[in-house]
Coordinates of all heavy atoms in Angstrom, one line a residue:
M1 N 17.9 2.5 -24.2 CA 18.3 1.9 -22.9 C 17.1 1.7 -22.0 O 16.2 2.4 -22.0 CB 19.3 2.8 -22.1 CG 20.7 2.8 -22.7 SD 21.4 1.2 -22.5 CE 23.0 1.6 -21.8
A2 N 17.2 0.6 -21.3 CA 16.1 0.3 -20.3 C 16.8 0.3 -18.9 O 18.0 0.2 -18.8 CB 15.5 -1.0 -20.5
R3 N 16.0 0.4 -17.9 CA 16.6 0.3 -16.5 C 16.1 -0.9 -15.9 O 15.1 -1.5 -16.2 CB 16.2 1.5 -15.7 CG 16.7 2.9 -16.2 CD 16.5 4.0 -15.2 NE 17.0 3.7 -13.9 CZ 18.3 3.8 -13.6 NH1 19.2 4.2 -14.5 NH2 18.7 3.5 -12.4
F4 N 16.9 -1.4 -15.0 CA 16.5 -2.6 -14.2 C 16.9 -2.5 -12.7 O 17.7 -1.7 -12.4 CB 17.2 -3.9 -14.8 CG 18.7 -4.0 -14.4 CD1 19.1 -4.8 -13.3 CD2 19.6 -3.3 -15.1 CE1 20.4 -4.9 -13.0 CE2 21.0 -3.4 -14.8 CZ 21.4 -4.2 -13.7
R5 N 16.2 -3.3 -11.9 CA 16.5 -3.4 -10.5 C 16.3 -4.8 -10.2 O 15.2 -5.4 -10.3 CB 15.6 -2.5 -9.7 CG 15.9 -2.6 -8.2 CD 14.9 -1.9 -7.3 NE 15.1 -0.4 -7.6 CZ 14.1 0.5 -7.3 NH1 13.0 0.1 -6.7 NH2 14.3 1.7 -7.6
C6 N 17.3 -5.5 -9.7 CA 17.3 -6.9 -9.4 C 17.2 -7.1 -7.9 O 17.9 -6.6 -7.1 CB 18.6 -7.6 -9.9 SG 18.6 -9.3 -9.6
R7 N 16.2 -8.0 -7.6 CA 16.0 -8.3 -6.2 C 16.9 -9.5 -5.7 O 17.0 -9.7 -4.6 CB 14.6 -8.6 -5.9 CG 13.7 -7.4 -6.1 CD 12.3 -7.6 -5.6 NE 11.6 -8.7 -6.3 CZ 10.3 -8.9 -6.1 NH1 9.6 -8.3 -5.1 NH2 9.7 -9.9 -6.7
A8 N 17.5 -10.2 -6.7 CA 18.4 -11.3 -6.4 C 19.8 -10.8 -6.0 O 20.4 -11.2 -5.0 CB 18.5 -12.3 -7.5
C9 N 20.4 -9.9 -6.8 CA 21.7 -9.4 -6.6 C 21.8 -8.0 -6.1 O 22.9 -7.4 -5.9 CB 22.6 -9.6 -7.8 SG 22.2 -8.6 -9.2
A10 N 20.6 -7.3 -6.0 CA 20.5 -6.0 -5.6 C 21.1 -4.9 -6.5 O 21.3 -3.8 -6.1 CB 21.0 -5.8 -4.1
E11 N 21.4 -5.4 -7.7 CA 22.0 -4.5 -8.7 C 20.9 -3.6 -9.4 O 19.8 -4.1 -9.6 CB 22.8 -5.3 -9.7 CG 23.5 -4.4 -10.7 CD 24.8 -3.8 -10.1 OE1 25.2 -4.3 -9.0 OE2 25.4 -2.9 -10.7
E12 N 21.2 -2.4 -9.7 CA 20.3 -1.6 -10.5 C 21.1 -0.8 -11.4 O 22.2 -0.4 -11.1 CB 19.3 -0.8 -9.7 CG 19.8 0.2 -8.8 CD 18.7 0.9 -8.0 OE1 17.9 1.5 -8.7 OE2 18.7 0.8 -6.8
G13 N 20.5 -0.5 -12.6 CA 21.3 0.3 -13.5 C 20.6 0.3 -14.9 O 19.4 0.0 -14.9
S14 N 21.3 0.6 -15.9 CA 20.7 0.6 -17.2 C 21.4 -0.5 -18.1 O 22.5 -1.0 -17.8 CB 20.9 1.9 -17.9 OG 22.2 2.3 -18.0
F15 N 20.6 -1.0 -19.1 CA 21.1 -2.1 -19.9 C 20.4 -2.0 -21.2 O 19.4 -1.2 -21.4 CB 20.9 -3.4 -19.3 CG 19.4 -3.8 -19.2 CD1 19.0 -4.8 -20.1 CD2 18.5 -3.2 -18.4 CE1 17.6 -5.2 -20.1 CE2 17.2 -3.5 -18.4 CZ 16.7 -4.5 -19.2
V16 N 20.8 -2.7 -22.2 CA 20.2 -2.8 -23.5 C 19.3 -4.1 -23.4 O 19.8 -5.2 -23.3 CB 21.2 -2.9 -24.6 CG1 20.5 -3.1 -26.0 CG2 22.1 -1.7 -24.7
Y17 N 18.0 -3.8 -23.6 CA 17.0 -4.9 -23.5 C 17.2 -5.8 -24.7 O 17.2 -5.4 -25.9 CB 15.6 -4.4 -23.5 CG 14.6 -5.5 -23.4 CD1 14.4 -6.3 -22.3 CD2 13.7 -5.7 -24.5 CE1 13.5 -7.2 -22.2 CE2 12.7 -6.6 -24.4 CZ 12.6 -7.4 -23.3 OH 11.6 -8.4 -23.2
D18 N 17.3 -7.1 -24.5 CA 17.6 -8.1 -25.6 C 16.5 -9.1 -25.7 O 16.6 -10.1 -26.4 CB 18.9 -8.8 -25.4 CG 19.0 -9.7 -24.2 OD1 18.0 -9.8 -23.5 OD2 20.0 -10.3 -24.0
G19 N 15.3 -8.9 -25.1 CA 14.2 -9.7 -25.2 C 14.1 -10.8 -24.1 O 13.1 -11.5 -24.0
R20 N 15.1 -10.9 -23.3 CA 15.0 -11.9 -22.2 C 14.6 -11.2 -20.9 O 15.1 -10.1 -20.6 CB 16.4 -12.5 -22.0 CG 16.8 -13.4 -23.1 CD 18.1 -14.1 -22.8 NE 19.1 -13.1 -22.2 CZ 19.9 -13.4 -21.2 NH1 19.8 -14.5 -20.6 NH2 20.7 -12.5 -20.8
H21 N 13.7 -11.8 -20.1 CA 13.4 -11.2 -18.8 C 14.2 -11.9 -17.8 O 13.9 -12.8 -17.1 CB 11.9 -11.5 -18.5 CG 11.4 -10.7 -17.3 ND1 10.8 -9.4 -17.4 CD2 11.5 -11.0 -16.0 CE1 10.6 -9.0 -16.2 NE2 11.0 -9.9 -15.3
A22 N 15.4 -11.3 -17.6 CA 16.4 -11.8 -16.7 C 17.4 -10.7 -16.3 O 17.6 -9.8 -17.2 CB 17.1 -13.0 -17.2
C23 N 17.9 -10.8 -15.1 CA 18.9 -9.8 -14.7 C 20.1 -9.8 -15.6 O 20.7 -10.9 -15.8 CB 19.3 -10.0 -13.3 SG 20.6 -8.9 -12.7
P24 N 20.5 -8.7 -16.2 CA 21.7 -8.7 -17.1 C 23.0 -8.9 -16.3 O 24.0 -9.2 -17.0 CB 21.6 -7.3 -17.7 CG 20.8 -6.4 -16.8 CD 19.8 -7.4 -16.1
R25 N 22.9 -8.8 -15.0 CA 24.1 -9.0 -14.2 C 24.3 -10.5 -13.7 O 25.3 -11.1 -13.9 CB 24.1 -8.1 -13.0 CG 25.3 -8.2 -12.1 CD 25.3 -7.2 -11.0 NE 26.4 -7.3 -10.1 CZ 27.6 -6.8 -10.3 NH1 27.8 -6.0 -11.4 NH2 28.6 -6.9 -9.4
C26 N 23.1 -11.0 -13.1 CA 23.3 -12.3 -12.5 C 22.4 -13.3 -13.2 O 22.5 -14.5 -12.9 CB 22.9 -12.2 -11.0 SG 21.2 -12.0 -10.6
G27 N 21.5 -12.9 -14.1 CA 20.6 -13.8 -14.8 C 19.4 -14.2 -14.1 O 18.6 -15.0 -14.6
S28 N 19.1 -13.7 -12.9 CA 17.9 -14.0 -12.1 C 16.7 -13.4 -12.8 O 16.8 -12.4 -13.4 CB 18.0 -13.5 -10.7 OG 16.8 -13.6 -10.1
V29 N 15.6 -14.2 -12.7 CA 14.3 -13.6 -13.3 C 13.6 -12.8 -12.2 O 12.6 -12.2 -12.5 CB 13.4 -14.7 -13.7 CG1 14.0 -15.5 -14.9 CG2 13.0 -15.7 -12.6
D30 N 14.2 -12.7 -11.0 CA 13.5 -11.9 -10.0 C 14.0 -10.4 -10.1 O 14.7 -9.9 -9.3 CB 13.9 -12.4 -8.6 CG 13.1 -11.8 -7.5 OD1 12.1 -11.1 -7.8 OD2 13.4 -12.0 -6.3
V31 N 13.6 -9.8 -11.2 CA 14.2 -8.5 -11.6 C 13.0 -7.7 -12.2 O 12.1 -8.2 -12.8 CB 15.3 -8.7 -12.6 CG1 14.8 -9.4 -13.9 CG2 16.0 -7.4 -13.0
Q32 N 13.1 -6.4 -11.9 CA 12.1 -5.5 -12.4 C 12.7 -4.7 -13.5 O 13.9 -4.2 -13.4 CB 11.6 -4.5 -11.3 CG 10.9 -5.2 -10.2 CD 10.4 -4.2 -9.1 OE1 11.2 -3.4 -8.7 NE2 9.2 -4.3 -8.7
F33 N 12.0 -4.5 -14.6 CA 12.5 -3.7 -15.7 C 11.7 -2.5 -15.9 O 10.5 -2.5 -15.7 CB 12.4 -4.5 -17.1 CG 13.4 -5.6 -17.2 CD1 13.3 -6.6 -18.2 CD2 14.6 -5.7 -16.4 CE1 14.2 -7.6 -18.4 CE2 15.5 -6.7 -16.6 CZ 15.3 -7.6 -17.6
A34 N 12.3 -1.4 -16.3 CA 11.5 -0.2 -16.7 C 11.9 0.1 -18.1 O 13.0 0.6 -18.4 CB 11.9 0.9 -15.8
L35 N 11.0 -0.4 -19.0 CA 11.3 -0.2 -20.4 C 10.4 0.8 -21.0 O 9.3 1.0 -20.6 CB 11.0 -1.6 -21.1 CG 11.9 -2.8 -20.7 CD1 11.3 -4.0 -21.3 CD2 13.3 -2.6 -21.2
S36 N 10.9 1.4 -22.1 CA 10.0 2.2 -22.9 C 9.4 1.2 -24.0 O 10.1 0.3 -24.4 CB 10.7 3.3 -23.6 OG 11.8 2.9 -24.4
V37 N 8.2 1.4 -24.3 CA 7.5 0.5 -25.2 C 8.2 0.4 -26.6 O 8.3 -0.6 -27.2 CB 6.0 0.9 -25.4 CG1 5.4 0.1 -26.5 CG2 5.3 0.6 -24.1
E38 N 8.8 1.6 -26.9 CA 9.5 1.7 -28.2 C 10.7 0.7 -28.3 O 11.1 0.3 -29.4 CB 10.1 3.1 -28.4 CG 9.0 4.1 -28.6 CD 8.3 4.5 -27.3 OE1 9.0 4.4 -26.2 OE2 7.2 4.8 -27.3
E39 N 11.2 0.2 -27.2 CA 12.3 -0.7 -27.2 C 11.9 -2.2 -27.5 O 12.7 -3.0 -27.7 CB 13.1 -0.7 -25.9 CG 13.7 0.7 -25.7 CD 14.5 0.7 -24.4 OE1 15.6 0.1 -24.3 OE2 14.1 1.4 -23.5
L40 N 10.6 -2.4 -27.4 CA 10.1 -3.8 -27.5 C 9.6 -4.1 -28.9 O 9.0 -3.2 -29.5 CB 8.9 -4.0 -26.5 CG 9.3 -3.8 -25.0 CD1 8.0 -3.9 -24.2 CD2 10.3 -4.7 -24.6
A41 N 9.8 -5.3 -29.3 CA 9.2 -5.7 -30.6 C 7.7 -5.9 -30.4 O 7.2 -6.1 -29.3 CB 9.8 -7.0 -31.0
D42 N 7.0 -5.7 -31.5 CA 5.5 -5.8 -31.4 C 5.0 -7.2 -30.9 O 4.0 -7.3 -30.3 CB 4.9 -5.5 -32.8 CG 5.0 -4.1 -33.1 OD1 5.2 -3.2 -32.2 OD2 4.8 -3.7 -34.3
D43 N 5.8 -8.2 -31.2 CA 5.4 -9.5 -30.8 C 6.1 -10.0 -29.5 O 6.1 -11.1 -29.1 CB 5.7 -10.5 -31.9 CG 7.2 -10.6 -32.2 OD1 8.0 -9.7 -31.7 OD2 7.6 -11.5 -32.9
D44 N 6.7 -9.0 -28.8 CA 7.4 -9.4 -27.5 C 6.3 -9.8 -26.5 O 5.2 -9.2 -26.4 CB 8.1 -8.1 -26.9 CG 9.0 -8.5 -25.8 OD1 8.5 -8.8 -24.7 OD2 10.2 -8.6 -25.9
P45 N 6.6 -10.9 -25.7 CA 5.6 -11.3 -24.7 C 5.3 -10.3 -23.7 O 4.1 -10.3 -23.2 CB 6.4 -12.5 -24.0 CG 7.4 -12.9 -25.0 CD 7.8 -11.7 -25.8
L46 N 6.2 -9.3 -23.4 CA 5.8 -8.3 -22.5 C 4.7 -7.4 -23.1 O 3.9 -6.9 -22.3 CB 7.1 -7.4 -22.2 CG 8.1 -8.1 -21.3 CD1 9.3 -7.2 -21.1 CD2 7.5 -8.4 -19.9
I47 N 4.8 -7.1 -24.4 CA 3.7 -6.3 -25.0 C 2.4 -7.0 -24.9 O 1.4 -6.4 -24.5 CB 4.1 -6.1 -26.5 CG1 5.3 -5.2 -26.6 CG2 2.9 -5.5 -27.2 CD1 5.0 -3.7 -26.3
A48 N 2.4 -8.3 -25.1 CA 1.1 -9.0 -25.0 C 0.6 -9.0 -23.6 O -0.6 -8.9 -23.3 CB 1.3 -10.5 -25.5
A49 N 1.5 -9.1 -22.6 CA 1.2 -9.1 -21.2 C 0.6 -7.8 -20.8 O -0.4 -7.7 -20.1 CB 2.4 -9.5 -20.3
M50 N 1.3 -6.7 -21.2 CA 0.8 -5.4 -20.9 C -0.6 -5.1 -21.6 O -1.4 -4.4 -21.0 CB 1.8 -4.3 -21.3 CG 3.0 -4.3 -20.4 SD 4.1 -2.9 -20.6 CE 4.8 -3.3 -22.2
T51 N -0.7 -5.5 -22.8 CA -2.0 -5.3 -23.5 C -3.1 -6.1 -22.7 O -4.2 -5.5 -22.5 CB -1.9 -5.8 -24.9 OG1 -0.8 -5.1 -25.6 CG2 -3.2 -5.6 -25.7
A52 N -2.8 -7.3 -22.3 CA -3.8 -8.1 -21.6 C -4.2 -7.4 -20.3 O -5.4 -7.3 -19.9 CB -3.3 -9.5 -21.3
L53 N -3.2 -6.9 -19.6 CA -3.5 -6.2 -18.3 C -4.3 -4.9 -18.6 O -5.2 -4.7 -17.8 CB -2.1 -5.8 -17.7 CG -1.4 -6.9 -16.9 CD1 0.0 -6.4 -16.5 CD2 -2.2 -7.4 -15.7
A54 N -4.0 -4.2 -19.6 CA -4.7 -3.0 -19.9 C -6.2 -3.2 -20.2 O -7.1 -2.5 -19.8 CB -4.0 -2.2 -21.0
E55 N -6.4 -4.4 -20.9 CA -7.7 -4.7 -21.3 C -8.6 -5.2 -20.2 O -9.8 -5.2 -20.2 CB -7.7 -5.7 -22.5 CG -7.2 -5.1 -23.8 CD -7.0 -6.1 -24.9 OE1 -7.1 -7.3 -24.6 OE2 -6.8 -5.7 -26.0
S56 N -7.9 -5.7 -19.1 CA -8.7 -6.4 -18.0 C -8.4 -5.6 -16.7 O -8.6 -6.2 -15.7 CB -8.3 -7.8 -17.9 OG -6.9 -7.9 -17.5
D57 N -8.0 -4.4 -16.8 CA -7.7 -3.6 -15.6 C -9.0 -3.3 -14.8 O -9.8 -2.6 -15.2 CB -7.1 -2.3 -16.0 CG -6.5 -1.5 -14.8 OD1 -6.8 -1.9 -13.7 OD2 -5.8 -0.5 -15.0
P58 N -9.1 -3.9 -13.6 CA -10.3 -3.8 -12.8 C -10.4 -2.4 -12.2 O -11.4 -2.0 -11.7 CB -10.2 -4.9 -11.7 CG -8.7 -5.1 -11.6 CD -8.1 -4.8 -13.0
T59 N -9.3 -1.6 -12.1 CA -9.3 -0.3 -11.5 C -9.7 0.8 -12.5 O -9.8 1.9 -12.2 CB -7.9 0.0 -11.0 OG1 -7.0 0.1 -12.0 CG2 -7.4 -1.0 -10.0
E60 N -9.8 0.4 -13.8 CA -10.2 1.3 -14.8 C -11.6 1.8 -14.6 O -12.6 1.0 -14.5 CB -10.1 0.7 -16.2 CG -10.2 1.7 -17.4 CD -9.0 2.6 -17.5 OE1 -7.9 2.2 -17.1 OE2 -9.2 3.6 -18.2
P61 N -11.8 3.1 -14.4 CA -13.2 3.6 -14.3 C -14.0 3.3 -15.5 O -13.6 3.5 -16.6 CB -13.0 5.1 -14.0 CG -11.7 5.4 -14.4 CD -10.8 4.2 -14.4
T62 N -15.3 3.0 -15.3 CA -16.1 2.6 -16.4 C -17.1 3.7 -16.8 O -17.8 3.7 -17.8 CB -17.0 1.4 -16.1 OG1 -17.7 1.6 -14.9 CG2 -16.1 0.1 -15.9
D63 N -17.1 4.8 -16.0 CA -18.0 5.9 -16.4 C -17.3 7.2 -16.6 O -16.6 7.7 -16.3 CB -19.1 6.1 -15.3 CG -18.5 6.3 -13.9 OD1 -17.2 6.2 -13.8 OD2 -19.2 6.4 -13.0
Ligands
LIG1 ZN1 20.7 -9.7 -10.6

């Protein structure tokens, strides 16, 4: 299960992530997901996005 909080319909709760980045209630993309990585496929766009962020994180200490 993943959790979501939608800023469009103000709904929050848990849902089964199906690969779409949209509110499971109203379908808006203005939604925040809290997923565990285990729920995502290796080729999920979110994985690629998180990997890119991690590799380019300017707040990461270098020393
Ligand atoms: Zn919604």
Side-chain angles (χ1 to χ4, degrees):
M1 281 299 229
R3 295 189 56 79
F4 75 96
R5 178 185 297 163
C6 180
R7 292 194 295 187
C9 69
E11 186 73 15
E12 61 182 300
S14 58
F15 71 108
V16 178
Y17 180 68
D18 66 359
R20 295 184 311 137
H21 189 94
C23 175
R25 181 176 176 87
C26 73
S28 172
V29 296
D30 192 10
V31 61
Q32 295 178 311
F33 286 165
L35 296 169
S36 60
V37 172
E38 292 76 28
E39 294 183 72
L40 300 176
D42 287 343
D43 63 347
D44 190 286
L46 287 176
I47 291 287
M50 285 191 290
T51 301
L53 282 174
E55 289 176 348
S56 63
D57 188 351
T59 65
E60 188 74 21
T62 54
D63 53 0

